[in-house]
Amino acid sequence: MTVLSLRGVWCAFGDHEVLRGVDLDVERHEVVALIGASGSGKSTLLRTASLLEHVDDGQILLGGEDITDPRVDADAVRARIGTVFQSYNLFPHLSVLDNVTLAARVVHRVPRRDAEARALSLLEGIGLAGKARAYPDTLSGGQQQRVAIVRAIATDPELLLLDEITSALDPELVGEVLDLVRSLKENGSTIVMATHEMAFARDVADRVVFLDQGGIVEQGPARELLAAPREARTREFLARFRSS
């Protein structure tokens, strides 16, 4: 089953074309890693998929439904998608527990008792049940990002979008966040993630998609593409990581 499908998607900011005719299908339970230099279109692709940016041309389908149809309820679409950004975006005035349960209670109308029971179970799974009543500013960056991911999956979204979720973290905190993503894959989540963590993409992603100047240059099985890319532009990009 195809969960997400982009068909000829174009997106421009003024005269700057950020996405140029992108075609991409993501299957159920698949983990797709988007790689490419800053400005290549990775984040914009994720933001258009979650209807946080407009699409100038083309279609985006979620579970077969054209979500770029202007008649679609954008908030209802976003309720089906979990999105995590690099900057955590936790509400500072809410406890960890209230952050995690907010969407379930307000958007999905889940009773507080049920929402909190699921949230505590998820927090226990990442070793943060003891922080349920704490506030975000008392947590480390890695803890905050793990809470943000748990918040995104608390409503069992059809699709999880992760946008450079480790880029704002100190190196020693990156591992704990990536371990959580690895466990989500093992549990069957459908994930599209923009990342600069090539080793992680190789080990966890089913497929890697290399973007350059708003277009897909190359895509394929993660280990194959990262070990032996076909396109010269991909090889040039990956050489930077091998030499660093």
Side-chain angles (χ1 to χ4, degrees):
M1 173 184 172
T2 303
V3 174
L4 178 69
S5 183
L6 281 71
R7 299 177 178 172
V9 171
W10 290 75
C11 177
F13 301 139
D15 294 331
H16 178 49
E17 293 177 335
V18 186
L19 296 177
R20 300 182 295 111
V22 171
D23 293 306
L24 179 66
D25 289 326
V26 179
E27 304 303 318
R28 189 178 182 191
H29 305 315
E30 187 178 25
V31 177
V32 174
L34 308 177
I35 66 171
S38 298
S40 61
K42 304 186 303 297
S43 293
T44 301
L45 189 156
L46 296 179
R47 291 180 66 82
T48 56
S50 56
L51 301 186
L52 295 174
E53 296 290 355
H54 69 285
V55 170
D56 294 304
D57 198 7
Q59 289 180 305
I60 299 177
L61 287 80
L62 180 65
E65 178 188 359
D66 181 3
I67 61 173
T68 46
D69 186 320
R71 296 168 294 183
V72 163
D73 182 342
D75 288 335
V77 170
R78 294 187 194 109
R80 299 162 58 189
I81 300 172
T83 306
V84 184
F85 301 100
Q86 56 185 279
S87 55
Y88 324 141
N89 289 341
L90 297 177
F91 294 107
H93 63 290
L94 297 180
S95 69
V96 165
L97 186 62
D98 285 341
N99 264 284
V100 173
T101 61
L102 185 63
R105 292 185 289 106
V106 175
V107 178
H108 295 273
R109 305 296 181 186
V110 176
R112 178 181 285 273
R113 178 180 298 176
D114 295 340
E116 290 188 348
R118 173 160 171 75
L120 288 169
S121 176
L122 290 170
L123 289 169
E124 170 120 14
I126 61 168
L128 290 178
K131 299 288 188 179
R133 303 296 176 182
Y135 286 84
D137 64 358
T138 67
L139 306 181
S140 70
Q143 289 173 328
Q144 289 187 60
Q145 193 62 291
R146 283 185 288 157
V147 170
I149 295 171
V150 163
R151 179 177 63 179
I153 65 173
T155 56
D156 290 320
E158 297 171 43
L159 175 67
L160 186 59
L161 304 176
L162 308 178
D163 188 11
E164 300 284 7
I165 58 171
T166 60
S167 65
L169 299 178
D170 293 332
E172 64 268 23
L173 301 177
V174 169
E176 62 189 46
V177 173
L178 296 183
D179 284 345
L180 175 54
V181 179
R182 187 176 284 105
S183 71
L184 295 177
K185 172 188 168 64
E186 292 169 354
N187 289 329
S189 294
T190 304
I191 302 172
V192 183
M193 60 180 188
T195 185
H196 281 101
E197 300 285 343
M198 296 302 149
F200 182 72
R202 179 196 64 216
D203 294 340
V204 174
D206 299 297
R207 183 157 44 106
V208 164
V209 177
F210 172 57
L211 287 96
D212 186 51
Q213 297 182 8
I216 294 178
V217 174
E218 183 174 357
Q219 61 179 301
R223 287 184 176 273
E224 292 180 18
L225 186 146
L226 294 173
R230 298 184 306 273
E231 301 295 329
R233 182 67 189 91
T234 315
R235 292 195 294 271
E236 178 187 345
F237 172 76
L238 292 174
R240 303 176 191 173
F241 292 90
R242 296 187 181 116
S243 61
S244 60

